[in-house]
Amino acid sequence: MSQPQPSFDQLPRYVRVRSEPDTAFVEFDFAIGYPDLFVELVLPRDAFASFCERNRVQRMDAQMADAIDADMEKWRYGESRGQAD
């Protein structure tokens, strides 16, 4: 038997902040369900806090962000930078 798929509302939401901590606007990546499929957004700091609370986001840790970056690099260049011939 297959497992039931979670509804859209149950999918995890991820945030990866790209801006510096003291800027007025927060630049961030936002993903639903799959952290490597994201949109880039910009919000004022207060709106960002509200957005995160409403969406119950999980902040991407360094390990998750590094894995996403490596995968994007592999798709862009055909290999990871650490895999030279």
Side-chain angles (χ1 to χ4, degrees):
M1 259 184 193
S2 65
Q3 297 286 5
Q5 294 294 324
S7 71
F8 180 78
D9 291 335
Q10 295 172 323
L11 292 173
R13 288 154 168 77
Y14 303 95
V15 166
R16 178 182 183 182
V17 176
R18 300 270 187 177
S19 56
E20 296 296 320
D22 57 347
T23 58
F25 291 91
V26 180
E27 298 175 33
F28 63 102
D29 300 339
F30 176 65
I32 299 175
Y34 303 94
D36 55 340
L37 183 60
F38 57 86
V39 295
E40 297 172 356
L41 300 172
V42 178
L43 289 173
R45 202 152 281 288
D46 291 341
F48 173 72
S50 178
F51 177 88
C52 290
E53 185 178 324
R54 271 190 232 150
N55 284 286
R56 299 177 310 278
V57 301
Q58 299 174 30
R59 294 228 180 189
M60 288 188 207
D61 60 18
Q63 183 178 3
M64 184 183 288
D66 289 345
I68 291 168
D69 288 346
D71 191 53
M72 288 176 63
E73 198 170 286
K74 182 174 65 177
W75 279 101
R76 180 172 289 149
Y77 302 112
E79 64 182 31
S80 294
R81 287 188 183 189
Q83 298 177 344
D85 288 335

